[in-house]
Amino acid sequence: MNNLERLNTILLVDDDDASNFLHSIFINKLDMDVNINSALNGQEAIDFILGKGQEQLELPCMVMLDLRMPVMDGWQFMNAYEELVPKKLKEQITIVLVTISDNKEDKERAVNNKYIADFAQKPLSDETFKALIQKHYSLAAI
């Protein structure tokens, strides 16, 4: 648990624009003052976290990471994250693996990865986001 006073920024990482849009609606339904950004693959997400090719945006507190994506999938993202992201930044980010797959190997691999804080099954809802945020952040009330 990050025990942050507030969750400031969420990065949605999914190659499906519709999923990113729907998930941003669910997060907005929680009526939190949070910035929502999206990336269409793991490479865009790594670049976002490292601030490459953009104005320096706020570091995401939470990354909602899909597994199955082109260019760089969720597992490739996790490998790059481990190698490229400085420890200081990793300490500020909660990663939640989000997948439609019910593959037991994926869930076991996620549970055994020290950088993945949680695992969520698609489709997500506002209640799913609320539960994840309350679990990983000490927010007064959502």
Side-chain angles (χ1 to χ4, degrees):
M1 177 184 272
N2 282 329
N3 291 320
L4 297 176
E5 292 290 321
R6 282 185 18 80
L7 173 63
N8 296 318
T9 304
I10 296 175
L11 177 61
L12 304 173
V13 186
D14 196 318
D15 63 316
D16 181 22
D17 276 325
S19 288
N20 286 333
F21 178 72
L22 195 58
H23 293 160
S24 66
I25 289 173
F26 291 146
I27 294 166
N28 285 325
K29 278 180 73 175
L30 299 175
D31 200 28
M32 298 172 16
D33 182 21
V34 63
N35 294 322
I36 304 167
N37 296 288
S38 62
L40 295 174
N41 59 62
Q43 185 62 59
E44 287 183 13
I46 286 291
D47 290 347
F48 183 90
I49 290 169
L50 296 176
K52 291 184 178 177
Q54 63 196 15
E55 290 181 34
Q56 187 56 43
L57 298 173
E58 193 172 11
L59 183 71
C61 300
M62 180 176 267
V63 174
M64 304 297 293
L65 178 67
D66 187 32
L67 268 185
R68 310 285 179 244
M69 297 176 287
V71 182
M72 180 187 280
D73 70 19
W75 294 124
Q76 292 167 325
F77 166 87
M78 290 309 304
N79 290 337
Y81 181 84
E82 189 169 344
E83 290 176 26
L84 301 173
V85 176
K87 182 180 180 186
K88 180 180 171 187
L89 297 183
K90 287 178 192 156
E91 292 170 352
Q92 301 173 55
I93 300 172
T94 299
I95 297 177
V96 177
L97 196 62
V98 180
T99 183
I100 200 159
S101 166
D102 60 359
N103 183 326
K104 289 181 177 149
E105 289 176 15
D106 284 338
K107 186 167 186 173
E108 187 176 307
R109 192 171 171 190
V111 167
N112 290 322
N113 187 303
K114 67 181 178 180
Y115 298 112
I116 298 175
D118 220 324
F119 185 90
Q121 193 78 30
K122 283 183 184 179
L124 300 179
S125 67
D126 54 336
E127 288 301 314
T128 305
F129 280 104
K130 182 177 180 178
L132 287 167
I133 291 167
Q134 287 178 330
K135 179 177 178 181
H136 296 285
Y137 294 89
S138 59
L139 302 171
I142 298 179

